[in-house]
Amino acid sequence: MDFTFTEEQQAAAEAARAVFSGVAPDVVPSPALVPGAVAEDIDRQLWARLATSDLLSLTLAPEHGGAGLDLVALCLVLRESAKVLARVPLLETCAVAMALQRYGGPRLAAELLPRVGRGELVLTVGANGRSGHDPAELAVTARREVPARNNRPCAEPGERPDEGFGDAPGDSDGDVAGWVLDGVQSGVPWAQAADWIAVPAHTGEGRAVVALIQPTHDGVTLVKQVSTNGELFAEVRLDSVGIDSRALIDTAGAWEWLRALLTTGTCALALGLGEAVLTMTSEYTGKREQFGFPIATFQSVAVQTADRYIDLRAMEVTLWQAAWRISTGADGALPAEGDIAVAKIWASDGVRRIVQTAQHLHGGFGADTDYPLHRFHAWAKQIELSLGPAAAHEEALGDLLAAHLPG
């Protein structure tokens, strides 16, 4: 197995390092110091720099103004973003754009994707369902409906209702079959800053679909929520929200693929954050002295940091295995879900162990809210909660082994 990165993937990582080099991880206060969210918007200046560096169009096809790279390249960029706690919906925007490009209609893709690559549109996705414990697609229902002539509820501000998506194939009189959405998606990242929200839903036939809606759409209500790391999230409530059929992706496997992108990308964030925290810990223990010696020379400290280094390497190899399986569609003894489960096991447990060790070895500095480690700990906890407990992934992996391997 060869995990050597291509020249294009390495160039993407180098470009990301250049963009993120000027970002301070403690540019906003610790979530422990503010009653609500640490900020009301994403880092717009950083978002613009990402667009200028062509990192937002990295995974888009050339016809949409992109470089046509894969999930591995995106994970390399996400890894760098997590090292500075970049406050941008890079994962959500790129994952939704990739799903739209792969499964969505060509007309909608041509309308939205070039603008995503230029940084003009922000995308996010509701992947937590109502409570974060049940499948996200079960939290929203989608039923078919035939709206009145030229009733296009997804019009851009200032745009006539019959503009944007164009005429639907086979609708000579302009009537377009639509869908109506009802339900709730909780914990949607930076929904208030997004132009479009991807919402998984289920139909009466039990199929999972993905709808693209705008936060300003009639029937859409955003209720403020604050995440564990202090960022502004939202509960998205949908009350009889009618959308054009071209704003809904009903291709089989679309939601499952998007969910796999989000999960693997979150593992990449865990890896980058863990690497930054271990580097911070190594530098601190190399300077902090007790009894006239740096504490890094003490055996107990060296053993703990060595264990966390092993965690990082395991997180890394399982991440690239999962990203490679998704990107290439390569066959294996288990479906790609097995590799994703292994990556989640290591990322969820590994990032927790790394920040806990860092807090311990930093002593009092680890609890100082003015020291950057406090924000890294909050972000690590948010990532751990997003991935879910390792025990659940181990159970899922066991089910896959039982179903696909001979007894």
Side-chain angles (χ1 to χ4, degrees), residues 50-326:
L50 288 169
T52 302
S53 301
D54 296 326
L55 291 175
L56 296 182
S57 60
L58 192 70
T59 57
L60 299 181
E63 58 263 32
H64 300 307
L69 298 185
D70 59 7
L71 177 60
V72 174
L74 175 60
C75 285
L76 285 167
V77 176
L78 291 170
R79 178 188 193 179
E80 298 301 323
S81 75
K83 293 178 181 179
V84 296
L85 306 183
R87 301 185 52 262
V88 287
L90 179 61
L91 169 58
E92 294 81 7
T93 294
C94 291
V96 173
M98 291 170 71
L100 175 58
Q101 178 174 256
R102 182 182 178 105
Y103 293 102
R107 196 167 296 179
L108 180 59
E111 178 185 347
L112 297 184
L113 295 184
R115 298 182 62 193
V116 170
R118 295 193 297 268
E120 298 171 5
L121 294 179
V122 173
L123 310 180
T124 190
V125 55
N128 295 314
R130 185 179 293 271
S131 64
H133 299 289
D134 299 322
E137 66 273 18
L138 299 183
V140 176
T141 60
R143 67 179 189 275
R144 289 185 181 275
E145 184 177 83
V146 180
R149 177 182 174 87
N150 287 329
N151 177 21
R152 183 206 166 210
C154 291
E156 297 283 355
E159 179 184 72
R160 295 198 313 274
D162 59 346
E163 293 178 335
F165 288 119
D167 294 330
D171 292 330
S172 58
D173 63 352
D175 290 351
V176 179
W179 293 78
V180 177
L181 306 174
D182 288 281
V184 174
Q185 289 288 345
S186 184
V188 180
W190 291 300
Q192 292 84 349
D195 299 285
W196 293 84
I197 302 173
V199 177
H202 71 282
T203 68
E205 298 82 19
R207 293 185 296 111
V209 297
V210 180
L212 290 174
I213 64 170
Q214 293 175 286
T216 55
H217 196 295
D218 290 342
V220 177
T221 303
L222 302 186
V223 180
K224 283 187 177 182
Q225 294 179 317
V226 179
S227 65
T228 302
N229 58 347
E231 296 299 336
L232 184 60
F233 283 18
E235 180 182 82
V236 179
R237 300 176 181 174
L238 309 176
D239 183 13
S240 298
V241 176
I243 65 169
D244 190 303
S245 61
R246 285 154 295 193
L248 185 135
I249 304 173
D250 61 354
T251 308
W255 165 239
E256 290 77 10
W257 195 73
L258 173 54
R259 184 174 57 198
L261 298 183
L262 293 168
T263 302
T264 307
T266 304
C267 292
L269 295 175
L271 175 62
L273 186 150
E275 289 176 332
V277 169
L278 188 60
T279 298
M280 188 186 307
T281 304
S282 298
E283 292 174 351
Y284 176 80
T285 56
K287 297 176 182 178
R288 176 75 167 89
E289 292 189 359
Q290 286 185 356
F291 311 113
F293 297 95
I295 61 174
T297 62
F298 298 169
Q299 186 178 30
S300 62
V301 173
V303 168
Q304 291 181 70
T305 53
D307 286 342
R308 301 296 78 83
Y309 178 81
I310 293 172
D311 280 336
L312 279 178
R313 298 289 69 82
M315 291 165 64
E316 183 176 22
V317 70
T318 55
L319 163 66
W320 299 132
Q321 172 71 10
W324 174 77
R325 285 291 304 276
I326 296 171

Side-chain angles (χ1 to χ4, degrees), residues 8-24:
E8 292 82 3
Q9 291 166 347
Q10 294 179 37
E14 291 173 4
R17 281 191 286 270
V19 170
F20 294 123
S21 62
V23 178

